[in-house]
Amino acid sequence: MRIIAGRWRGHTIASPPGHKTRPTTDRVREAWMSAVQLDLPDAKVLDLFAGSGALGLEALSRGAQHVTFVEKAGGPLRVLQANVHKLRAEAEVDVVRGDALKYAAGLAEGAFDIVFADPPYGTGEAEGLAELFRACSFAQQLWIEHRAGEPIPQLPGAHTRRYGDTALTFIPAPESA
């Protein structure tokens, strides 16, 4: 996998081995970053279900101020930490080992500027995260990658973009809807 743009453009990062972790494709990651590009400079970003950290590291490369990664699986967590070390980004990140939904449930209103979430498909966690956001908008923007057709609550201002079998749903905080 490669960082697409910014200060680390072209740098390769590792992906977790095996089939349990599904990395975001370059096409979807590029579309995602293009959609948030103007909001990334100096942003506080949360990368839930972080896997390799590709989304958060791409955000840092493009000017985000700080990224907090949340990942519970040991294998992807080790790959994430190695990727952070390879890019010498330790001072700009926090890596949390834990359950992404539990972490999000404990956040205060407006804790982050942008949240990226790439939960496992078909687990209901994408829908659960949207419901948590409905109860407490812990960021200005919540972006969820999910399987196209997977149910996501229709929240004010939300919209979904489809990329083949993958969809990205954008949900703004209520005051910015």
Side-chain angles (χ1 to χ4, degrees):
M1 235 183 325
R2 290 191 183 277
I3 301 292
I4 298 166
R7 65 180 164 156
W8 295 319
R9 179 180 185 192
H11 283 73
T12 59
I13 56 173
S15 297
H19 299 288
K20 288 188 176 188
T21 303
R22 172 197 36 78
T24 300
T25 65
D26 284 351
R27 177 181 171 226
V28 173
R29 192 163 26 102
E30 189 166 356
W32 204 337
M33 290 299 133
S34 292
V36 299
Q37 181 65 40
L38 296 177
D39 299 317
L40 282 175
D42 300 320
K44 288 181 3 189
V45 174
L46 175 61
D47 186 349
L48 296 171
F49 309 94
S52 67
L55 291 170
L57 292 170
E58 186 76 44
L60 272 177
S61 183
R62 293 174 184 235
Q65 175 188 43
H66 190 270
V67 177
T68 299
F69 296 97
V70 180
E71 175 58 57
K72 72 177 176 181
L77 190 68
R78 285 186 291 280
V79 171
L80 165 61
Q81 290 168 325
N83 286 336
V84 167
H85 180 73
K86 179 179 181 179
L87 297 173
R88 296 186 176 126
E90 293 91 346
E92 301 166 86
V93 307
D94 290 315
V95 178
V96 177
R97 182 173 190 166
D99 181 270
L101 292 181
K102 287 179 183 174
Y103 185 86
L107 293 172
E109 185 105 9
F112 289 90
D113 297 309
I114 301 170
V115 176
F116 300 126
D118 185 9
Y121 287 0
T123 61
E125 290 174 297
E127 183 178 9
L129 183 59
E131 290 295 347
L132 283 172
F133 194 71
R134 180 193 318 246
C136 174
S137 52
F138 44 82
Q140 291 300 308
Q141 304 176 28
L142 171 62
W143 289 84
I144 304 173
E145 179 179 340
H146 55 93
R147 179 179 290 132
E150 191 172 346
I152 299 290
Q154 294 301 307
L155 300 176
H159 64 273
T160 300
R161 297 175 180 158
R162 188 174 172 162
Y163 304 90
D165 292 340
T166 299
L168 292 179
T169 295
F170 164 74
I171 306 169
E175 63 273 5
S176 38

